[in-house]
């Protein structure tokens, strides 16, 4: 009987020295890489109904609506120039009239706004919308699926839902989510109960989110899509790979991250992400946001 052949991996030799080739096991993916890949693989999201900007007099309370899909949120952060600004563009209609609405300003503030004169057909409002989008981004609205960011211009942010979207948790500031609950009496001993209460403390949750510049009640420019959050992970990976680069390079990449993932810094200059600790903190923040989407 012919002898059994050994597995190729155990008999393969190095041509130079006749040594066996040692096969290294695959490196396990970390939680952040897995989260990024899961977000990218989630596929197209079913977006909620597009709503008129709440700061417009033609908002839903006055029966104003977004016409078709002419609605976009733009963002631009430039640390060197202390820029951290947004730009909203919408085509709105109410009854038989159509308007182009724009609002812009510092992230976290209401900013300034403009409402075009009404027109009987959507054509003029659409033309104004597309021109403004082109002026602010150097991209064509019709080619927005292949959007390219340009220096000194705004970037299209993929959001879904209301501006200042809430992060839903069971309890925030003592406000309990209503609904039927069947809760059995706790059978744990008192020290264990106190430990569990500490771990799931809403105050601790709020403090942790504040350290990440994330308001648990509001996301500065609305609820981010899964794909948008995945883009944030990718920028953080770029920063991680450039940690030994010059300050201008880290400033550029940090600006790119805060453009991709909007932050409310008030009037304070956005900080440079220049340590591994800050990168890890931002990754944890994105994990929280991915859970909240």
């Amino acid at each position: 009987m012919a002898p059994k052949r050994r597995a190729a991996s155990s008999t393969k030799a190095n041509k130079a020295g006749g040594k066996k080739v040692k096969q290294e096991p695959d490196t396990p993916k970390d939680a952040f890489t897995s989260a990024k890949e899961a977000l990218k693989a989630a596929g197209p999201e079913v977006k909620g109904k597009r709503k008129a900007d709440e700061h417009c007099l033609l908002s839903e309370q006055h029966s104003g609506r977004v016409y078709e899909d002419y609605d976009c949120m733009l963002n631009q952060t430039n640390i060197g120039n202390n820029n951290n600004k947004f730009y909203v563009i919408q085509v709105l209609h109410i009854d038989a009239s159509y308007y182009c609405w724009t609002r812009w300003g510092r992230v976290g503030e209401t900013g300034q706004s403009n409402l075009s004169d009404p027109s009987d057909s959507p054509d003029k409002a659409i033309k104004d919308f597309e021109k403004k989008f082109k002026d602010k981004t150097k991209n064509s609205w019709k080619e927005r699926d292949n959007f390219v960011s340009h220096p000194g211009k705004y970037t299209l942010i993929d959001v879904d839902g209301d501006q200042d979207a809430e992060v839903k948790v069971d309890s925030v500031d003592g406000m309990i989510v209503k609904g039927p609950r069947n809760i059995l009496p706790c059978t744990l001993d008192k020290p264990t109960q106190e430990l569990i209460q500490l771990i799931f403390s809403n105050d601790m949750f709020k403090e942790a989110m504040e350290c990440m510049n994330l308001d648990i009640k509001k996301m500065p420019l609305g609820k981010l899509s899964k794909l948008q959050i995945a883009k944030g992970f990718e920028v953080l990976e770029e920063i991680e790979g450039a940690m030994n680069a010059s300050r201008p390079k880290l400033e550029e990449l940090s600006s790119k991250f805060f453009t991709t993932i909007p932050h409310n810094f008030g009037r304070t200059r956005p900080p440079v992400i220049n340590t591994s600790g800050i990168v890890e903190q931002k990754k944890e923040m994105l994990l929280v946001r991915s859970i909240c989407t």
Side-chain angles (χ1 to χ4, degrees):
M1 180 182 292
K4 293 182 179 179
R5 295 180 62 187
R6 293 183 181 180
S9 60
S10 64
T11 59
K12 189 176 181 180
N14 184 293
K15 291 181 179 180
K19 296 180 180 179
K20 293 180 180 179
V21 176
K22 184 179 179 181
Q23 292 189 337
E24 297 292 339
D26 292 337
T27 304
K29 297 176 182 176
D30 61 47
F32 303 119
T33 301
S34 298
K36 180 193 72 174
E37 293 181 356
L39 290 167
K40 293 178 72 173
E45 298 176 50
V46 178
K47 294 191 177 183
K49 179 184 176 184
R50 296 176 182 273
K51 296 183 179 181
D53 184 29
E54 64 181 2
H55 296 284
C56 180
L57 292 176
L58 300 180
S59 61
E60 285 198 340
Q61 67 184 87
H62 300 291
S63 302
R65 300 183 302 279
V66 171
Y67 179 70
E68 295 184 352
D69 63 349
Y70 292 97
D71 171 32
C72 68
M73 175 65 74
L74 310 176
N75 192 43
Q76 181 188 161
T77 301
N78 184 303
I79 294 175
N81 296 331
N82 193 18
N83 291 334
N84 190 38
K85 52 189 181 179
F86 70 91
Y87 210 106
V88 178
I89 317 174
Q90 294 182 323
V91 172
L92 304 177
H93 72 117
I94 180 170
D95 299 327
S97 297
Y98 298 84
Y99 307 79
C100 181
W101 163 259
T102 53
R103 184 168 63 86
W104 64 95
R106 187 85 173 179
V107 173
E109 299 178 4
T110 301
Q112 299 173 275
S113 59
N114 181 69
L115 184 66
S116 70
D117 293 332
S119 58
D120 296 334
S121 101
D123 295 345
K124 182 180 182 305
I126 290 173
K127 184 177 179 181
D128 291 344
F129 176 99
E130 292 181 340
K131 182 180 184 305
K132 186 65 69 175
F133 184 81
K134 180 78 170 181
D135 289 345
K136 297 300 176 182
T137 68
K138 285 185 69 175
N139 283 257
S140 164
W141 175 251
K142 292 181 175 63
E143 299 295 325
R144 63 190 179 279
D145 288 342
N146 300 311
F147 189 93
V148 176
S149 296
H150 294 276
K153 294 294 182 178
Y154 286 85
T155 292
L156 179 63
I157 304 299
D158 192 6
V159 296
D160 179 32
D162 297 334
Q163 172 142 355
D164 295 340
E166 291 189 4
V167 178
K168 299 183 182 301
V169 293
D170 284 347
S171 173
V172 177
D173 294 335
M175 299 293 291
I176 306 298
V177 175
K178 294 181 180 180
R181 288 190 170 199
N182 297 319
I183 302 177
L184 298 175
C186 182
T187 58
L188 298 173
D189 58 84
K190 188 171 181 181
T192 305
Q193 287 187 45
E194 292 175 349
L195 176 61
I196 296 297
Q197 289 172 354
L198 178 63
I199 292 173
F200 292 97
S201 165
N202 288 306
D203 289 337
M204 289 185 65
F205 179 79
K206 286 173 60 180
E207 290 173 6
M209 294 303 98
E210 287 171 1
C211 289
M212 299 178 190
N213 289 315
L214 175 61
D215 187 331
I216 65 169
K217 291 183 179 179
K218 298 179 179 180
M219 293 184 182
L221 299 182
K223 177 183 172 184
L224 301 179
S225 71
K226 291 180 173 61
L227 182 58
Q228 192 67 34
I229 295 173
K231 290 178 181 177
F233 275 117
E234 290 176 342
V235 180
L236 287 177
E237 288 175 349
E238 285 187 68
I239 296 174
E240 212 166 21
M243 197 53 67
N244 295 323
S246 63
R247 179 181 172 85
K249 181 61 178 178
L250 288 174
E251 189 174 284
E252 175 191 334
L253 290 173
S254 299
S255 296
K256 182 179 178 180
F257 175 73
F258 294 129
T259 294
T260 306
I261 306 295
H263 282 56
N264 178 4
F265 296 109
R267 286 284 163 176
T268 304
R269 184 186 300 273
V272 176
I273 302 174
N274 55 8
T275 68
S276 298
I278 300 176
V279 170
E280 291 302 305
Q281 183 188 68
K282 294 303 179 185
K283 284 183 177 180
E284 290 171 2
M285 180 202 72
L286 292 185
L287 278 179
V288 172
R289 288 202 172 194
S290 66
I291 293 169
C292 297
T293 56

